Amino acid sequence: MTITETPAPRSPSKLWRRTKTVLSVVLALAATFLGLLFVTFIIGRVVPIDPVLAVVGERASQAQIEAARTALGLDRPMWEQFYIYVVNVFQGDLGTSLLTRRPVLEDIKNVFPATLELATIATIFGVLTGIPAGVLAATRPGTWIDQIVRIIGLAGYSTPVFWLGLMGLLLFYGTLGWVGGGGRVSNEFVDALEFDILRVTGIVLIDSALAGEWAVFGNAVKHAVLPSAVLGYYSMAYISRMTRSFMLNELSQEYITTARVKGMPEWRVIWVHALKNVMVPLITVIALSYANLLEGSVLTETVFSWPGLGMYITNALFSADMPAVLGGTVVVGLVFVAINMLSDVLYRLVDPRAK
């Protein structure tokens, strides 16, 4: 009698595993975004601001108020209002600003490049200074270098950003005259900026360089230095602190001891082997820092009159312009979701074990 062995079940193919991974990521992002839309929808309904009165004014008659309420769809059930809201958002309709009378998405397209410019420069500054500072502090624990890095990081966390910005303006602009004042450029370049230069990316430094307007470029650099440094100081404090913590843990691992015993140069042990493994969790730290700068630069933009997303949302909030506030909130949430997804992709590229 012949015994036939049952073949072992085959493992799923790589394509199927990758498909499941992509689907799980897409579903997680979709659920996160729907949750964000639900929260913003509820906020728009519970705030003590009547959107109908904001549209027609307080002197409107009852008939006009009811007509406006019907036109805005506020007379429908809540679930139907939420459904319409979600459909509109997915179609790119974030509503119309009560302050500018333009679509909110159009307004955000105009102001977001300014915030992107400021946050990007600040993050680059934070990475280029924070990582080396954290590594030096971790390799010399308890020394004066470590103490200075920790004090600088603590000051960056503790100092109010608006106070630091005001003091910077007083010293470097008002007293020394080394940097520009408020805004992205000086008044004599505003018209050229709005009508001739900002046509490609909306970022002054890039568009002025592409247009060959070097006078505008130099003036924009002078205006961007101080607000970028203020935000970059906050970013540097966070990144240096986390880098120090990660490096202290990594330098105590056995493979570091083995490399030193084999006679490997100390600089290679630290800056190649240890830092390579530290970069895996550090990518998430840098991504979150960047996302925080993109949405949390409200005070900095206000102090420096920087026409970005933070200042746009602040002005809308003071004017009771809820469509603009909620639209800006949705965009901020999308930024967080996108940057988290990007950090996850970079994480998998840096660490093959995560694939």
Side-chain angles (χ1 to χ4, degrees):
M1 182 177 180
T2 303
I3 300 176
T4 304
E5 295 183 358
T6 304
R10 295 181 180 180
S11 59
S13 64
K14 290 184 178 180
L15 180 60
W16 173 242
R17 290 199 299 268
R18 291 178 179 176
T19 302
K20 288 199 301 182
T21 302
V22 171
L23 287 176
S24 63
V25 171
V26 170
L27 289 175
L29 292 178
T32 302
F33 187 53
L34 284 175
L36 171 67
L37 293 181
F38 179 75
V39 171
T40 54
F41 175 79
I42 295 300
I43 291 174
R45 297 302 184 273
V46 300
V47 291
I49 299 175
D50 191 343
V52 176
L53 293 180
V55 173
V56 301
E58 296 182 355
R59 297 184 179 181
S61 64
Q62 188 62 34
Q64 291 174 324
I65 292 175
E66 293 300 328
R69 190 176 300 278
T70 302
L72 293 174
L74 298 177
D75 59 333
R76 302 181 182 182
M78 291 292 287
W79 67 267
E80 188 175 353
Q81 293 183 40
F82 179 66
Y83 172 76
I84 295 173
Y85 175 66
V86 172
V87 171
N88 289 339
V89 169
F90 276 98
Q91 291 177 349
D93 182 9
L94 299 179
T96 302
S97 170
L98 303 179
L99 186 62
T100 64
R101 301 299 178 182
R102 293 193 301 264
V104 172
L105 187 60
E106 181 181 333
D107 284 343
I108 292 177
K109 286 180 179 178
N110 292 332
V111 300
F112 188 72
T115 298
L116 182 66
E117 180 180 31
L118 194 62
T120 302
I121 298 173
T123 301
I124 292 174
F125 174 81
V127 170
L128 294 181
T129 57
I131 292 179
V135 171
L136 289 176
T139 55
R140 295 167 177 80
T143 63
W144 63 272
I145 295 178
D146 184 27
Q147 297 298 329
I148 289 177
V149 172
R150 295 173 68 181
I151 290 173
I152 292 175
L154 180 63
Y157 264 91
S158 306
T159 306
V161 66
F162 71 89
W163 181 87
L164 193 62
L166 290 173
M167 293 301 102
L169 281 173
L170 178 63
L171 176 61
F172 297 107
Y173 171 64
T175 304
L176 300 176
W178 291 355
V179 299
R184 303 174 79 182
V185 292
S186 299
N187 292 332
E188 61 265 27
F189 296 112
V190 170
D191 291 338
L193 190 70
E194 293 182 353
F195 298 104
D196 298 328
I197 296 176
L198 294 180
R199 297 185 181 277
V200 181
T201 64
I203 297 176
V204 178
L205 296 178
I206 295 178
D207 288 353
S208 60
L210 292 176
E213 297 286 349
W214 300 112
V216 178
F217 179 84
N219 189 264
V221 169
K222 290 184 64 177
H223 281 76
V225 165
L226 189 56
S228 299
V230 170
L231 281 179
Y233 179 40
Y234 174 80
S235 178
M236 182 271 291
Y238 178 52
I239 293 174
S240 64
R241 178 182 176 185
M242 299 306 297
T243 303
R244 178 184 181 275
S245 177
F246 293 151
M247 284 294 293
L248 284 175
N249 178 68
E250 203 65 31
L251 291 174
S252 63
Q253 301 298 317
E254 291 184 359
Y255 79 93
I256 295 294
T257 304
T258 303
R260 286 170 172 167
V261 170
K262 289 183 176 180
M264 186 176 293
E266 186 68 12
W267 68 268
R268 187 174 180 82
V269 172
I270 296 171
W271 295 98
V272 178
H273 290 275
L275 187 59
K276 181 181 178 181
N277 288 329
V278 163
M279 285 305 299
V280 176
L282 203 56
I283 286 174
T284 303
V285 171
I286 295 172
L288 291 178
S289 175
Y290 187 43
N292 284 325
L293 293 184
L294 282 173
E295 61 88 19
S297 55
V298 175
L299 293 176
T300 304
E301 291 183 0
T302 302
V303 169
F304 290 94
S305 299
W306 195 268
L309 181 60
M311 192 170 179
Y312 175 75
I313 295 176
T314 302
N315 292 336
L317 188 61
F318 287 152
S319 303
D321 188 357
M322 292 310 298
V325 173
L326 298 179
T329 304
V330 170
V331 171
V332 168
L334 276 175
V335 168
F336 263 94
V337 171
I339 290 180
N340 274 301
M341 183 174 65
L342 178 61
S343 67
D344 183 66
V345 172
L346 293 176
Y347 187 97
R348 294 173 186 271
L349 292 176
V350 173
D351 187 4
R353 296 169 298 179
K355 293 182 180 180

